[in-house]
Structure formats: C-alpha cells, structure tokens
Amino acid sequence: MAERLTSTTNPRIKALARLRERKGRVAAGRFLIEGHRELTRAADASIPILEVVLAPELAAPRDLSLVERLAVDGAEVVEVGRAAFEKLSFRRHPDGVLGVALSTPLALGDLEVGNPAFVLVLDGIEKPGNLGGIIRSADAAGVDAVILVEPRCEAINPSTIRASQGSVFSLPICTADAAETNTWITHRGLHVVAASPEATTALWDADLTGDIAAVVGAEAEGIGPVFRSPDTTVRIPMAGTADSLNASVSAGILLFEVVRQRSL
C-alpha cells in the first residue's frame, strides 16, 4: 500500500476533490463512488474501479474486505487520514471507503430492450436526489433502460448515486437530446406514455402492456415540446389540495402500474 495521505492540501487529495464537481468529472473522465453498498454494486456490475480511497479509522471490517476484493481486481488502494477523507466525502457520517471509477458513457444506439420493451425517458430532470430515486424505482420495476434527455444533473453525480443506492450501476443509462431520443423511440415502435394533470384518462385505465416508453419531465417545466404529444397521456388521480406530485413519486407510480398490468 502507498504512503498514507493525511493532509487535505496534498495534490492527490486536491485532484480527487475536484471529482466532486461536474467540471472535474468531465475533465478527468472519472467519478467518485462513495459507500459500501454503492461501491459493491458498482463492482458487481463490472464498473472499472481504478482507485479505492480508504480511511482505516472510519472503515468497518466489511469495508476492508471490499477493498481487498477491489485490489485483487486491479484497483490501486490509497490510504488516507480522517480529515483527508472528509474533504472527499459527501456524507455527514462517512464510512471510510470510496472508489474512483472510469466514466464509460453508453450511446443511445447501444441500448437493448426486452419484449415487450420497457424504457424510461427522463426529460430535463434537474435534481440529483430525484434522479437517483427514479433510477432506484426503475431498477426495482425491471425497466430495460433509462434515457436522460438533456438532463441538468448526471447519473454519476455522487448525490444521484447515493439516492439510487447504487442502482445507477444496475441499469443501462444513456444521455441524449430530445430529437434523437424521439427518433430512437419511433424507430423501435415504442408507445409513448406520459403523465399529465390535464389528461382525462386515469393511469390504470390505459393499456400499458405493450412496448412502452414512459416519459417523465422536470418538476418545474414538465415534459419538453418534443414529447408533449405522446401516444397516451394519463393522469394520476389525486385527492386533497395537491395538484402535482414529486417527479420521483410520479415516476414510481407510473412504472409500477406498468408492472401491475403486465403481471395480470
């Protein structure tokens, strides 16, 4: 193992800290994966882990076993002190282990879908927590792939990874613009379904058993102009004074209605 790094001003620590920001991730082509669960799921999905940063005084025995596994797989182990690790961490109570992974973007043309197809299109999602929660629900619902249309945050944002509990590594996820996504959907003959408060058809009254591309928009603007004329528009019936739902909640309801109908 290399020399233990304790200073928060160490050049290597400063370089790793730049991966906390999108600009740094883009420039380096790398991103951070923090936490035992998330790092384990990345390893299980064969995500290329280049380095493992370990703070022994914060780590549990299971973290040490994970570090050993990743080291065997070729990751360089960097041991750091508590202060140095906390400079890299996004968590109030970090568990002392994080990975540095190689960013390997997936192209739209590389996506494969099942029969029937089940694709989730996220149009302009702006909050990492929402994005991570939606991806976690998509993973649980058995979605084939997720397409991020002109997103304002990344799937590899550390907050997204944490909110997804590592599900970002279990699903094919790609980023594309609206026009090419629409062309891809049309070419594959997918039925576009979008939720809207103005729709007259209740969610459970629509037929969602075929080849589906479910579209969810940002909370502020909703679905963009390219997707505003879907094949099917549905509403999620709501009581009380609420006239809208959190994007993550809406996506979960829509996805699991597809699951329910396909299980009948």
Side-chain angles (χ1 to χ4, degrees), residues 215-228:
V215 182
V216 175
E219 290 186 17
E221 294 90 4
I223 294 170
V226 171
F227 302 108
R228 282 183 186 160

Side-chain angles (χ1 to χ4, degrees), residues 156-193:
I156 58 173
N157 180 303
S159 296
T160 304
I161 294 171
R162 182 179 185 183
S164 80
Q165 295 198 344
S167 285
V168 292
F169 307 121
S170 303
L171 283 171
I173 302 173
C174 76
T175 300
D177 64 33
E180 64 180 328
T181 301
N182 192 49
T183 298
W184 184 88
I185 289 171
T186 301
H187 179 71
R188 282 156 182 77
L190 305 188
H191 191 86
V192 179
V193 178

